[in-house]
Amino acid sequence: MDFQSLPTDAKSILALTWSDYEPYYQDLEARELTEGNIQAWLDDWSRVAETADEHYWRLDIATTVNTADTAVEEAFKTYIETIQPYVKTAEQKLKAKLLASGLSPKSFETALRMMRAEAEIFSEENLVLLAEEQKLVYEYNKLIGSLSVPWEGEERTRAQMFPLMYEPDRSTRQRAWEAVEASLFKERQTINELWEKFAPVRLKIAENAGIPDYRAYTWKQRFRFDYSPEDCKSFHAAIERVFVPAAKRVYETHTQRLGLDTLRPWDIYVDSMGGAPIKPYESMGEFKSKLHTIFQQVEPAFGDYFQIMMDENLLDLESRKNKAPGGYSLGLHVAHRPFIFMNHTSTPLDVQIMLHEGGHAFHEFERAHVHFYQRGEIYLPAEFAEVASMSMELLASPYKTKERGGFYTDSEHARTMIELLEGIITFMPYMALVDSFQHWIYENPKEGSDASKCEDRWGELWDRFMVGIDYAGLEDYKKTYWHRQSHIFGSPFYYVEYGLAQLGAVQVWSNARQDQQKAVGDYRKALRLGATVPLPELFATAGAKFAFDEETLQDATNLLEEVIQEMEAKL
């Protein structure tokens, strides 16, 4: 068959049915594999696999762009019911065929290890359950995306309310915070009922795969070969010893600067240094233009990539009703293009989100030359994918001033750098909270399936890790805060990656403070590897150590606090 005849444009890909895909998979399954033809076979497989993958992600993206689009909803459901199960089965047969051949194509060792893990947990019985799980995730996203907040005579999205957290007037911040929390809290029962549908599905998935528990299933599913659940728990403990006290120092500093007796949740984001709220841009055109200038200075190729994204409408950045929450960058692997999704708030947070997602996007461009199973998100180690994004937030820091074509005056830049670095410090305990919570859920499946017990456990873990924020009288809001953490619902156990990657990114940035050009060069070399080498080697190529230990955490904390002091001297 001519695999090059597979469509490359979005409209044609979205029109495909299983009957269109099936002959290609049959052809691949029928071929005898030899040393002489393995590379051509892999190339053809890559072509059909990336088409099915792009088909799925284009539909998934469409459901987040407009959660109220019933036609898109129906098309997405049709895909996961009538195409995805057959594609997954066909893909697994090809993986089994490759493994049975005993062949080991060049640079494919890491992919083969991942395929063996997939083979161990694959079960045709689970195809229906996995589709059911995706429908539940869609219901969660649809519910959260539909939430609106009444504010001074109008309805706003939660993202549109976020700038109010920067308002100097404390009573305005409190009213805004309470309005946002109330909009989510009124859905408490609905979200809890939805959660209690997730747990039985996931437990059954593990059972069908012959795995003793869902965490063990997820460990294989996420290809966590280089660390264990016990490593994660050691990581949580190290964070508790190093980052929790550092975060408490951050909160105490804010409390003192604001002249408060206690720091309440609506006081976290306001600039405690007394400056007016920073509005980094006036229009989307200005926002994109300045981002382009920054990326160009980090590395000219990155500026070129971002220009392609602007030219080809691969950015959806505005906030609007019926748009899913959050932000992401996803790869369209036939087009060899990323797509960035964000909900703008007209605050410095937008700049950081776009630098972060830009790192993901450039990773997609850089690794486009390797086989789908060495570059697709399915096999790309998330722990390093987040190094790509988090490092960009820091590598771009020298270029964010107006003098360099960026967004900020010198004092604004110092303020935003302090906010970024303090945010890293305060994020690490929250990451440990989310990851600890998920370990508890699946270690205790009976209690973890009971939403009320989840609320209680979340509250206990919050008090362990989130030291320094006063939630007195707001305990119900604290206990239900996990409702907004989409990873718990849609990507179970996907969160520790952010903490591990943050450590890697701080190390890349530490190198850049000594030699920016070399650090960026090493970072780019690592991006180009895709998933062709194990996780520790990806970190090492980028100039970082893959680590959980207290010493590495302490080095990172020391650097962050040192630069915060440098920035404070510039105010």
Side-chain angles (χ1 to χ4, degrees):
M1 292 193 68
D2 179 11
F3 282 73
Q4 297 309 308
S5 67
L6 281 161
T8 56
D9 65 288
K11 183 178 180 181
S12 299
I13 290 173
L14 292 173
L16 294 173
T17 65
W18 169 243
S19 62
D20 297 310
Y21 286 109
E22 187 175 21
Y24 294 96
Y25 281 109
Q26 289 175 337
D27 178 270
L28 289 164
E29 190 178 355
R31 288 190 220 172
E32 181 182 356
L33 290 184
T34 67
E35 289 280 2
N37 72 3
I38 184 65
Q39 194 56 56
W41 187 83
L42 286 173
D43 289 344
D44 286 344
W45 181 15
S46 185
R47 186 69 188 83
V48 67
E50 68 190 12
T51 304
D53 182 79
E54 181 162 327
H55 192 162
Y56 171 83
W57 286 116
R58 283 195 180 276
L59 289 170
D60 185 71
I61 287 168
T63 68
T64 63
V65 167
N66 183 359
T67 60
D69 189 328
T70 56
V72 165
E73 179 181 356
E74 192 58 37
F76 183 64
K77 288 180 177 178
T78 297
Y79 181 93
I80 63 176
E81 289 172 355
T82 67
I83 298 178
Q84 189 176 65
Y86 300 104
V87 167
K88 284 182 177 290
T89 300
E91 287 286 322
Q92 198 57 42
K93 287 179 179 178
L94 297 183
K95 292 170 188 177
K97 181 182 180 72
L98 176 58
L99 292 172
S101 75
L103 297 171
S104 183
K106 184 181 178 182
S107 301
F108 221 73
E109 295 83 1
T110 301
L112 287 172
R113 183 169 65 161
M114 294 175 176
M115 288 178 184
R116 290 188 192 100
E118 285 183 315
E120 291 172 10
I121 66 171
F122 180 76
S123 166
E124 287 200 32
E125 293 177 276
N126 277 340
L127 296 176
V128 173
L129 291 174
L130 291 167
E132 180 62 28
E133 182 186 32
Q134 286 180 308
K135 291 177 187 176
L136 293 173
V137 173
Y138 177 78
E139 288 302 315
Y140 169 80
N141 285 335
K142 184 176 180 180
L143 172 61
I144 298 297
S146 69
L147 295 178
S148 61
V149 183
W151 182 256
E152 297 183 347
E154 64 178 17
E155 291 291 316
R156 294 192 181 186
T157 65
R158 291 162 64 233
Q160 288 168 338
M161 292 292 290
F162 187 71
L164 294 169
M165 294 297 97
Y166 289 86
E167 282 295 322
D169 180 65
R170 196 184 193 198
S171 64
T172 300
R173 297 198 306 271
Q174 180 175 351
R175 286 191 302 112
W177 185 89
E178 289 174 342
V180 170
E181 293 303 309
S183 73
L184 184 61
F185 191 74
K186 72 180 181 181
E187 302 294 342
R188 178 187 195 176
Q189 183 175 348
T190 303
I191 296 173
N192 278 343
E193 289 174 355
L194 182 61
W195 170 250
E196 292 178 353
K197 294 178 182 177
F198 273 97
V201 172
R202 287 177 175 158
L203 296 176
K204 186 64 176 175
I205 287 171
E207 180 185 331
N208 287 347
I211 306 295
D213 61 79
Y214 186 72
R215 180 176 62 188
Y217 171 88
T218 304
W219 234 253
K220 287 184 179 290
Q221 182 192 44
R222 295 200 176 281
F223 311 124
R224 291 182 175 175
F225 304 119
D226 302 298
Y227 62 104
S228 68
E230 290 308 311
D231 287 327
C232 290
K233 292 183 179 182
S234 297
F235 195 33
H236 305 156
I239 288 169
E240 188 172 11
R241 289 190 294 270
V242 176
F243 270 95
V244 169
K248 185 180 179 184
R249 290 192 290 273
V250 169
Y251 294 135
E252 287 172 345
T253 299
H254 275 256
T255 305
Q256 293 165 6
R257 284 176 181 158
L258 292 168
L260 304 174
D261 294 327
T262 182
L263 194 75
R264 301 289 269 169
W266 46 83
D267 299 321
I268 294 170
Y269 295 103
V270 66
D271 186 346
S272 61
M273 289 163 279
I278 299 171
K279 189 173 183 181
Y281 60 92
E282 296 294 334
S283 67
M284 271 294 149
E286 180 189 356
F287 184 45
K288 294 174 186 177
S289 175
K290 289 184 173 180
L291 285 166
H292 178 263
T293 299
I294 291 170
F295 289 137
Q296 191 82 32
Q297 292 176 89
V298 175
E299 161 58 52
F302 297 159
D304 295 342
Y305 296 152
F306 194 70
Q307 186 65 54
I308 289 171
M309 297 187 72
M310 289 192 289
D311 293 344
E312 298 182 11
N313 297 316
L314 294 167
L315 304 168
D316 182 355
L317 311 183
E318 294 85 355
S319 177
R320 58 182 178 273
K321 190 174 181 181
N322 295 320
K323 183 176 179 179
Y328 61 74
S329 174
L330 286 171
L332 301 170
H333 295 296
V334 175
H336 294 305
R337 295 287 189 267
F339 178 87
I340 292 181
F341 175 97
M342 186 191 84
N343 287 272
H344 88 288
T345 62
S346 297
T347 70
L349 178 65
D350 295 350
V351 177
Q352 288 311 126
I353 288 174
M354 281 303 295
L355 294 176
H356 180 101
E357 301 303 345
H360 281 310
F362 304 151
H363 199 182
E364 172 68 26
F365 278 109
E366 291 286 345
R367 67 185 194 268
H369 62 285
V370 296
H371 186 277
F372 174 72
Y373 280 105
Q374 297 171 315
R375 62 178 155 85
E377 280 80 359
I378 186 172
Y379 279 9
L380 189 71
E383 298 85 351
F384 186 75
E386 297 301 338
V387 173
S389 56
M390 292 176 171
S391 295
M392 183 58 67
E393 294 183 58
L394 295 163
L395 291 172
S397 57
Y399 312 112
K400 293 191 291 184
T401 62
K402 290 184 177 180
E403 183 181 0
R404 300 300 295 265
F407 296 94
Y408 306 125
T409 64
D410 288 344
S411 63
E412 288 173 340
H413 179 245
R415 287 165 58 193
T416 58
M417 278 299 293
I418 291 169
E419 182 178 8
L420 169 63
L421 303 181
E422 288 182 341
I424 292 172
I425 292 172
T426 58
F427 168 75
M428 292 296 279
Y430 181 73
M431 183 285 301
L433 160 62
V434 174
D435 196 51
S436 295
F437 181 63
Q438 298 201 84
H439 281 269
W440 175 84
I441 287 171
Y442 297 106
E443 283 179 343
N444 303 277
K446 184 176 180 181
E447 292 88 347
S449 301
D450 183 331
S452 64
K453 288 184 169 57
C454 287
E455 290 185 359
D456 291 339
R457 183 58 178 167
W458 176 270
E460 293 168 6
L461 290 169
W462 183 284
D463 292 340
R464 174 186 168 190
F465 288 106
M466 303 299 287
V467 178
I469 308 172
D470 181 8
Y471 265 79
L474 304 169
E475 286 78 10
D476 279 346
Y477 287 151
K478 178 176 71 176
K479 287 167 61 175
T480 55
Y481 195 95
W482 63 283
H483 286 175
R484 73 182 65 206
Q485 191 56 61
S486 62
H487 300 76
I488 295 168
F489 293 84
S491 302
F493 282 102
Y494 189 112
Y495 214 69
V496 72
E497 289 89 343
Y498 293 120
L500 295 169
Q502 190 68 79
L503 276 187
V506 170
Q507 292 175 75
V508 170
W509 180 51
S510 178
N511 297 338
R513 282 170 58 80
Q514 305 303 317
D515 187 336
Q516 173 89 356
Q517 185 174 357
K518 183 179 186 305
V520 172
D522 290 343
Y523 163 79
R524 194 176 176 196
K525 286 177 189 174
L527 298 189
R528 290 185 60 78
L529 288 173
T532 60
V533 299
L535 185 56
E537 189 174 338
L538 287 172
F539 270 69
T541 303
K545 175 185 174 186
F546 183 67
F548 308 82
D549 60 284
E550 192 169 333
E551 182 181 355
T552 304
L553 286 163
Q554 191 63 63
D555 288 344
T557 307
N558 292 344
L559 174 60
L560 294 166
E561 292 187 321
E562 175 190 332
V563 179
I564 287 171
Q565 291 179 354
E566 290 176 9
M567 292 296 111
E568 287 175 337
K570 296 182 178 182
L571 294 175

